Amino acid sequence: MLILEKNDPVPKDRYLIGGANNLLISPTPPPLMMLGKDFAFIEEKDGMLVIGAAMPTGRIVSYAKRHDIAGFEFCAKLPGTLGGMLAMNAGVKNYEIFNILHSIEIDGTWIPKTKIKYGYRYANLGGIATAAKFKMQKGFDQVLLKTLLELRNNQPGEPSAGSAFKNPPGDHAGRLIEAVGLKGTKRGNMQWSEIHANFLVNLGGGTYEDANTLLMLAKEKVKNHYGITLEEEIRHL
């Protein structure tokens, strides 16, 4: 694993990962790299909050709360780093990182949000994101924070890669997986969670092959029963 620091040349043959919280790593992954501590910063400049892509989401929420900055409440308990959130337009319910985003530094150039193609759990960054800017607004919402945290009470405590599938329009992936009888189903030490069916949890020593088998099984059953093609939120490497 290569750790990239500022002023280092950026290799073209490596795959950048954030906190690796939505990844399934195969036995033969591509060469990987992560942003180092130089990219974990928060600073206020010209009415903007500038955040390094390696900044953990928990620290972003803590900063926003401490300085009474609105808009980042939904990041609470979303694992990983800002870079990972940007790469997949992460969020909770209707709250997504691109909703509050101003621009992203990609390959050393600041690109406005309007020039980036993005959507539900998707963003085409087209390069290495190292920082992002957000317009600062006062008023951290403690009530909203509590409400969003309560939404996460039904998520499993075991290690997982987060939500396995994106919610299809007008429905929920967890409901569909449960409806086809897969909630709690195991392969080896991987399991569709008994708490929330859209979470693929590792009970200890689970393998990529077992995880992929369960993903394919869920896709097949949901497609056969409901005619819905589930789209993975988890990324494979």
Side-chain angles (χ1 to χ4, degrees):
M1 174 73 72
L2 175 68
I3 305 298
L4 190 68
E5 302 292 354
K6 282 188 176 179
N7 302 319
D8 287 347
V10 179
K12 300 299 183 182
D13 60 344
R14 288 182 175 265
Y15 187 95
L16 178 67
I17 64 174
N21 290 280
N22 69 324
L23 298 179
L24 282 178
I25 307 296
S26 75
T28 56
L32 304 175
M33 64 179 175
M34 298 180 73
L35 297 178
K37 61 181 183 299
D38 288 351
F39 298 96
F41 64 86
I42 301 181
E43 59 186 29
E44 299 178 22
K45 186 176 181 180
D46 300 327
M48 293 283 184
L49 196 64
V50 186
I51 306 177
M55 196 67 178
T57 52
R59 290 174 62 187
I60 295 173
V61 177
S62 295
Y63 185 96
K65 183 178 180 180
R66 187 166 62 252
H67 295 273
D68 192 32
I69 300 171
F72 295 92
E73 295 87 353
F74 74 96
C75 297
K77 287 199 174 180
L78 278 178
T81 62
L82 175 64
M85 292 190 70
L86 295 171
M88 63 178 296
N89 189 19
V92 179
K93 298 293 185 181
N94 296 324
Y95 301 92
E96 297 176 335
I97 194 69
F98 266 73
N99 291 353
I100 60 173
L101 178 69
H102 176 272
S103 54
I104 306 177
E105 185 181 41
I106 300 175
D107 294 338
T109 300
W110 284 100
I111 309 295
K113 176 179 72 172
T114 54
K115 300 294 185 181
I116 301 170
K117 187 177 181 180
Y118 67 94
Y120 171 59
R121 301 298 177 266
Y122 162 78
N124 183 9
L125 302 183
I128 303 299
T130 51
K133 290 180 181 178
F134 305 86
K135 289 184 179 179
M136 289 181 59
Q137 295 184 8
K138 289 295 184 180
F140 187 87
D141 192 333
Q142 189 67 45
V143 175
L144 176 60
L145 175 66
K146 182 180 179 182
T147 300
L148 294 173
L149 287 175
E150 287 174 351
L151 290 175
R152 298 192 164 273
N153 288 338
N154 69 333
Q155 295 185 358
E158 299 94 342
S160 77
S163 297
F165 295 105
K166 300 177 183 180
N167 288 325
D171 212 329
H172 293 87
R175 187 199 73 80
L176 293 167
I177 294 169
E178 183 172 354
V180 297
L182 289 180
K183 187 175 185 180
T185 298
K186 294 173 60 178
R187 288 294 185 276
N189 278 332
M190 298 300 298
Q191 180 185 40
W192 286 116
S193 172
E194 295 178 337
I195 297 173
H196 191 309
N198 194 29
F199 278 72
L200 194 57
V201 298
N202 191 333
L203 303 178
T207 67
Y208 173 84
E209 290 77 11
D210 291 335
N212 197 46
T213 295
L214 289 173
L215 289 168
M216 295 305 103
L217 182 61
K219 283 184 176 181
E220 178 184 358
K221 282 186 171 289
V222 170
K223 181 67 173 179
N224 289 341
H225 282 74
Y226 295 101
I228 296 173
T229 300
L230 289 178
E231 183 180 352
E232 290 179 33
E233 189 168 316
I234 291 176
R235 298 187 180 185
H236 295 249
L237 292 179

